[in-house]
Amino acid sequence: MARQHARTLWYDRPKYVFMEFCVEDSTDVHVLIEDHRIVFSCKNPDGVEFYNEIEFYAKVNCKDSQDKRSGRSITCFVRKWKEKVAWPRLTKEDIKLLKKVSTKGPPPAMDDLDALDMAAVSDGRIGEEQTDGAFDFLWIGHNLYICTHQGFLEYLSLCVCMF
């Protein structure tokens, strides 16, 4: 079975960067925190392998960092080398994942809306990873953002994903 990236949330604090790898009921969990990167791997109950390798925005203190496993996720407490320095992003590379949809041109025909998962719209699940479609949709204010499913899976571990 092929590997995929685990959904990753991160939070910047003055002394620490908190990272949460969202995999429920994980097994074979391995977390390696080094000065410039983190490597995470595990399996879920269905046997799907998850693997994330992230190069940090700045140097961290790997000796004073730790991880904690719960039933729903694996949380890593990564100590910053330079305290009280805000990180604008988690990764060294500045990757733009979402593209703004242009408002130019005619509106789509009503029959085009069948491609959207209307149950996800009504339940407020827009922005979550959906395995049955080719795109993810995300509303921020009055702007609609679309992310290709391939790009979403490829760069999920490299961005803030707080849908």
Side-chain angles (χ1 to χ4, degrees), residues 49-85:
E49 290 185 44
F50 292 91
Y51 180 84
N52 296 53
E53 185 172 342
I54 302 170
E55 191 168 340
F56 291 125
Y57 174 78
K59 187 176 180 181
V60 300
N61 184 347
C62 62
K63 292 180 177 31
D64 195 20
S65 298
Q66 56 186 332
D67 59 272
K68 180 182 176 186
R69 183 175 169 249
S70 69
R72 303 192 97 194
S73 64
I74 296 87
T75 304
C76 300
F77 310 93
V78 181
R79 182 77 182 242
K80 292 180 180 179
W81 191 260
K82 293 182 180 178
E83 295 180 5
K84 298 182 182 177
V85 177

Side-chain angles (χ1 to χ4, degrees), residues 114-132:
D114 292 338
L116 265 175
D117 180 2
M118 284 305 176
V121 174
S122 63
D123 293 344
R125 291 184 286 122
I126 291 298
E128 289 186 6
E129 180 181 343
Q130 299 174 15
T131 57
D132 59 345

Side-chain angles (χ1 to χ4, degrees), residues 24-40:
E24 291 188 25
D25 301 323
S26 57
T27 58
D28 297 330
V29 176
H30 299 284
V31 179
L32 173 65
I33 302 173
E34 297 176 344
D35 288 344
H36 294 284
R37 71 180 184 139
I38 186 168
V39 179
F40 167 80

Side-chain angles (χ1 to χ4, degrees), residues 1-3 44 46-49:
M1 192 168 269
R3 284 196 228 176
N44 71 2
D46 299 329
V48 177
E49 290 185 44

Side-chain angles (χ1 to χ4, degrees), residues 98-103 142-146:
L98 300 174
K99 298 177 183 175
K100 188 172 180 180
V101 176
S102 173
T103 57
H142 296 288
N143 298 321
L144 173 66
Y145 293 84
I146 298 177

